[in-house]
Amino acid sequence: MENKVNRRNFIQLVSASTILAATGSPLVSFASKSEKVETGKITFLSKPYLQNPEPTAISVFWLTNRPCYSWVEISAVNESPIKVHSTTNGLVDANNRIHKIIIENLRPSTAYTYKVFSKDIILYEPYKLVYGDVIESDTYHFTTWEKDADSVSLLILNDIHDHPESFPLLMQLNGDQPYDFVFLNGDMFDFQKDENQLIEHLLQPCAEAFSTGKPFLFVRGNHETRGIFSRNLADYFENINKSNYFSFTQGPVYFIALDTGEDKEDSDREYGGLSDFDGYREEQAIWLEQQLKSQAFKKAKFKVVLMHIPHYHSGEWHGTVHCRKLFGPLFNKHKIDMLISGHTHVYGVHKPQEGHNFPIIIGGGPNPSGRTIMRLTANQKTMNLVMTRDTGEVVGKYTVSK
Ligand SMILES: [Fe+2]
């Protein structure tokens, strides 16, 4: 009853703010924010999805329709569950809708069970906080990454282009073969419209197919840089090192993921003067050279780069040519073993040749018979890539042995 009364008060507060906004009061910015708050019952807008994996940590993300306080309950087999929430500068993360709970101090190679909880906040005043309903998810499971692993395996998808049905269809081609994570190599969308698109075209199909139990990493393609919601995209995902471009070692492989940006000139009229991808790629080239000179890179048995636009075999548009100029000589000089890309919508395995002294593997496009999933596995001796198209036919293979 008390909750109901307070909820009514809250609705009244929102209504009053809305009126102030309409009359041009100084409270406009507060009011316009409040207007977006849903006043109905709290619900999950997505299932939990796993991000930023490490041997001893993982991040669990999910969305709710209303600002609330959220936490995860997690337990290893035969252990009591512990409650984990996230904090920022002394404040527990709350009154938000995009929930990111970082779970640390886990044991490597250990199976965990978890559930997520969100508690509605129906009144948040300086000295009075009133909670509402608590909702909880189903129970899910994941296993932390192995530390100093001998091997690694991953699945790679690219160019889904707003076809959510492709996720389960391609993922099921992997059958029961084990894998550590999924890599989304750009152009999951045609352009960024709103949160609902993220939920319906990526978060929900991925959760149904794998992401409640296996983490995914996500680099943008040229299409994710477009549309009114493109600047919000980073709020919903977290890669290793919490960056759009990043590197890490897992098993015998040193992975580098680059964000190749737009495919046309920054001055192209389609971008309305709001693109600066030349500068962004130059920044990445400096960072890339540092990674290629690192001990971790030199020590790794295999070196793999993942980026959406391949710097060869993808025409001569500006993005391709700029990547060729900035990244190409570094890849050759430091001898990467493989580049994995998308973008062209034409799958293919391009053996080492003039221009690139390593294979370039390009995944397919969004249309039936042209969609692909790649499976990359590596142990201490061999790295194997197999590309399968949606018909079940293997359309590309490449092996690197050391
Ligand atoms: Fe594409």
Side-chain angles (χ1 to χ4, degrees), residues 81-225:
I82 56 161
K83 176 181 170 180
V84 184
H85 58 208
S86 289
T87 62
T88 306
N89 302 324
L91 286 170
V92 172
D93 291 352
N95 203 33
N96 54 350
R97 294 193 314 103
I98 305 170
H99 311 291
K100 313 174 182 188
I101 309 295
I102 302 161
I103 308 174
E104 294 174 313
N105 302 315
L106 297 172
R107 295 193 298 275
S109 311
T110 302
Y112 287 92
T113 295
Y114 75 99
K115 246 178 157 173
V116 307
F117 296 79
S118 289
K119 191 182 202 180
D120 200 2
I121 297 175
I122 54 177
L123 183 70
Y124 197 143
E125 289 185 349
Y127 304 102
K128 188 177 183 188
L129 202 145
V130 180
Y131 288 118
D133 297 339
V134 179
I135 51 174
E136 61 181 79
S137 72
D138 291 338
T139 301
Y140 299 105
H141 311 274
F142 71 92
T143 300
T144 43
W145 278 5
E146 192 178 340
K147 195 171 188 299
D148 304 321
D150 274 341
S151 62
V152 67
S153 53
L154 60 144
L155 303 174
I156 302 150
L157 301 170
N158 61 277
D159 294 277
I160 298 288
H161 282 283
D162 283 312
H163 286 276
E165 71 282 4
S166 296
F167 284 108
L169 191 143
L170 292 168
M171 288 296 295
Q172 57 104 15
L173 294 172
N174 183 59
D176 293 331
Q177 301 176 92
Y179 61 95
D180 298 313
F181 65 104
V182 174
F183 192 94
L184 305 181
N185 207 2
D187 282 7
M188 297 298 111
F189 306 94
D190 290 335
F191 55 85
Q192 302 314 137
K193 192 173 136 204
D194 54 26
E195 185 180 82
N196 214 32
Q197 177 195 27
L198 284 185
I199 295 167
E200 290 181 358
H201 289 186
L202 194 150
L203 300 180
Q204 209 53 33
C206 285
E208 299 293 345
F210 68 89
S211 63
T212 57
K214 297 279 185 185
F216 67 85
L217 304 171
F218 178 20
V219 290
R220 295 186 304 184
N222 48 308
H223 283 263
E224 272 93 17
T225 64

Side-chain angles (χ1 to χ4, degrees), residues 12-81:
Q12 283 166 358
L13 174 70
V14 171
S15 308
S17 305
T18 308
I19 293 162
L20 286 172
T23 57
S25 146
L27 284 175
V28 161
S29 62
F30 167 75
S32 52
K33 202 173 176 189
S34 296
E35 279 168 358
K36 291 176 187 167
V37 174
E38 285 192 33
T39 51
K41 214 170 163 54
I42 185 168
T43 54
F44 291 120
L45 294 184
S46 78
K47 290 187 176 182
Y49 53 105
L50 302 177
Q51 300 282 279
N52 196 357
E54 287 180 36
T56 58
I58 203 146
S59 296
V60 183
F61 280 44
W62 71 98
L63 312 180
T64 51
N65 64 331
R66 289 179 39 76
C68 52
Y69 161 53
S70 289
W71 68 92
V72 174
E73 281 186 11
I74 182 165
S75 59
V77 179
N78 296 329
E79 289 181 7
S80 305

Side-chain angles (χ1 to χ4, degrees), residues 218-220 234 239-246 257-259 280 284:
F218 178 20
V219 290
R220 295 186 304 184
N239 288 318
I240 290 170
N241 300 334
K242 300 187 178 180
S243 175
N244 270 20
Y245 55 90
F246 53 96
L258 292 167
D259 181 357
Y280 183 53
Q284 289 180 73

